[in-house]
Amino acid sequence: MTMKGVVVFVILLLGIPLIFSISISELVARYSFSAATQQMSVTSHNDFMIDKNNNSINDILVIELATNNTAGTFVFVVSLFDKNGILTNETNKTL
C-alpha cells in the first residue's frame, strides 16, 4: 500500500464515527419525562418528527403528553442537549 493509500485509509477510518444517526426513539429515550407539581400526573407520552419543508430532514420534534390532572394552568418545559449546547422550549397551557 502506498503512502497516499495509507493516508486515505486513516482519514476514512477516523471519519466513520462522525457519520452516524440515531432514531427518534433513541433520542427521546435519552430524556427524562417528569412533572414538577402534585397537581399533574403524566400518564403517557408520544413523540414524532415532522419534515416541514419536505427536504428529507426533520425540522420539528413533537412531544405529546397525556395527563390525569386537576384543572389549571401549567408550564411545560423541554430542554434538548447536544454538542452545541441546550435548546429549551417553554409552553404555557390551560387544561
Side-chain angles (χ1 to χ4, degrees), residues 52-77:
K52 191 172 182 178
N53 56 6
N54 295 319
N55 66 350
S56 299
I57 298 173
N58 291 324
D59 305 304
I60 300 171
L61 169 61
V62 178
I63 300 172
E64 297 176 328
L65 301 175
T67 64
N68 179 12
N69 59 283
T70 59
T73 300
F74 298 90
V75 178
F76 296 92
V77 180

Side-chain angles (χ1 to χ4, degrees), residues 12-52:
L12 288 173
L13 186 62
L14 293 174
I16 288 173
L18 300 175
I19 305 169
F20 71 95
S21 64
I22 61 174
S23 69
I24 187 63
S25 297
E26 292 170 320
L27 175 67
V28 172
R30 296 179 185 212
Y31 301 103
S32 171
F33 296 91
S34 61
T37 178
Q38 296 177 359
Q39 297 174 331
M40 182 174 42
S41 173
V42 176
T43 57
S44 67
H45 69 278
N46 185 32
D47 56 81
F48 56 93
M49 298 291 294
I50 298 173
D51 177 12
K52 191 172 182 178

